[in-house]
Amino acid sequence: GYSWAISGGEEAAEHFCGQNKINARQASEAHSLMQQLAELVQRRLSLASSGMELELPLRLRPPTSLQAKLIRECVLDGLIDHVAVACPDLGSHAYICADLGREKPVFIHNSSNTFRYRPSPSVIVFNEIISTHKHFMRDCIGVDPLLLAKRAALGKSPLLQLGEFLPVPAPRYMPEQDTVLAFASPSYVPLDHMLPTVEVDVPADTIFRYKVLAKALLEGQVIPGFPSVNLLARPSLVLHAPTNPRVAGIVSPLWQNKVGSRAQLIERWAVDSRFLLEGFLKWIPASMHEDVRLNWPPKASKQSAARRRGDENFR
């Protein structure tokens, strides 16, 4: 914005800085440095001869929606330990942050662009706190709480916790994507602040993924045509009775071998054709055991494995 404003003269640039609460001197210095660097790059790398000549003076265009999103994600990752959450109980436009604790209010400094936003963001990140008669945050930017929740699902920060998976809406196996999805309510750990509920791909390091897959397998969602016999118990038992022998018999092998998808199950059967057999036998009448043993693993998996081997041989 400043690059375009300065093209209209010093007065226009100062007006732009005043409107956007920007230090005019610092913006001018940054703009001059940007132009100097552009000239150096242009000259040293001979950009003109390669058809990549820069148009000087540089006038940066506003970021696209995608660029703005990526910038916000970068800022959030860099300031993940400087998150503040609105707390109206402590005063108008008051926030709380981990640096000061939940009992002390902190406010947005009036030099920050975010100070002008109404309504005030419910969650912000900040660069520093200055203290006078009150505590103020500087260099603030509003953050969508949903973005924090999605970052929690990635499991890349100990400050964001995914939390327990919710029974309602029910978790589900997606046959076409071959993945397990569930809803969770993440939290920002330093403030024990609950974030919006999000549907996430259940991580492979939690047993819940294998429970949902086992339930889907018994319901016939994973392998076409399997199971072809009536079960002795409802598949939903898998999610509610972890100590039940039937449940342990089918969930434990999946969990121990980290088999959390159809593709991984077929790969496992290619290595160990008896995988899951004993666990599955606990779910069907004894009169069917011999037939199941003779036809294990399920035929659909055999066809898929053969097709995969054929593809590999073709390659």
Side-chain angles (χ1 to χ4, degrees), residues 83-293:
V83 172
V85 177
C87 186
D89 293 344
L90 295 181
S92 178
H93 306 301
Y95 289 79
I96 55 173
C97 65
D99 289 17
L100 300 177
R102 298 177 61 89
E103 305 302 322
K104 294 182 180 179
V106 61
F107 302 87
I108 300 174
H109 196 273
N110 60 11
S111 66
S112 175
N113 235 2
T114 312
F115 180 78
R116 301 183 296 117
Y117 293 172
R118 293 295 181 271
S120 300
S122 61
V123 178
I124 64 172
V125 292
F126 61 91
N127 183 43
E128 63 177 348
I129 293 177
I130 58 174
S131 299
T132 55
H133 62 292
K134 292 182 179 180
H135 302 290
F136 295 96
M137 299 173 289
R138 293 187 58 179
D139 308 322
C140 306
I141 182 172
V143 174
D144 185 350
L146 187 59
L147 179 58
L148 270 175
K150 290 179 178 178
R151 304 306 279 180
L154 298 177
K156 293 183 178 180
S157 172
L159 302 183
L160 295 169
Q161 191 173 64
L162 189 56
E164 296 293 327
F165 294 104
L166 306 180
V168 179
R172 53 188 177 146
Y173 170 76
M174 305 293 288
E176 293 184 2
Q177 292 81 13
D178 191 22
T179 191
V180 175
L181 300 180
F183 284 88
S185 293
S187 64
Y188 181 67
V189 176
L191 294 175
D192 195 25
H193 176 70
M194 297 304 297
L195 298 169
T197 298
V198 289
E199 189 175 32
V200 299
D201 191 341
V202 180
D205 60 355
T206 171
I207 194 172
F208 190 72
R209 180 182 183 91
Y210 306 94
K211 289 182 178 181
V212 177
L213 180 69
K215 174 177 176 289
L217 179 65
L218 294 171
E219 290 175 338
Q221 298 181 45
V222 179
I223 303 297
F226 174 83
S228 58
V229 298
N230 293 328
L231 302 179
L232 296 174
R234 291 178 299 175
S236 58
L237 182 70
V238 171
L239 300 180
H240 307 296
T243 59
N244 185 290
R246 286 195 180 103
V247 173
I250 199 163
V251 172
S252 294
L254 294 173
W255 166 240
Q256 291 168 3
N257 292 276
K258 295 297 185 287
V259 176
S261 67
R262 181 198 301 115
Q264 292 173 341
L265 180 58
I266 292 173
E267 288 178 4
R268 184 65 190 178
W269 271 330
V271 175
D272 178 8
S273 62
R274 314 313 281 173
F275 181 68
L276 281 189
L277 173 59
E278 296 305 320
F280 178 69
L281 292 178
K282 297 177 181 179
W283 288 82
I284 62 175
S287 59
M288 302 295 299
H289 285 194
E290 190 60 30
D291 287 342
V292 170
R293 288 181 187 277

Side-chain angles (χ1 to χ4, degrees), residues 47-65:
L47 295 182
S49 61
S50 60
M52 300 175 62
E53 186 175 5
L54 296 176
E55 184 180 340
L56 300 176
L58 284 182
R59 290 194 293 181
L60 301 180
R61 294 179 175 83
T64 64
S65 298

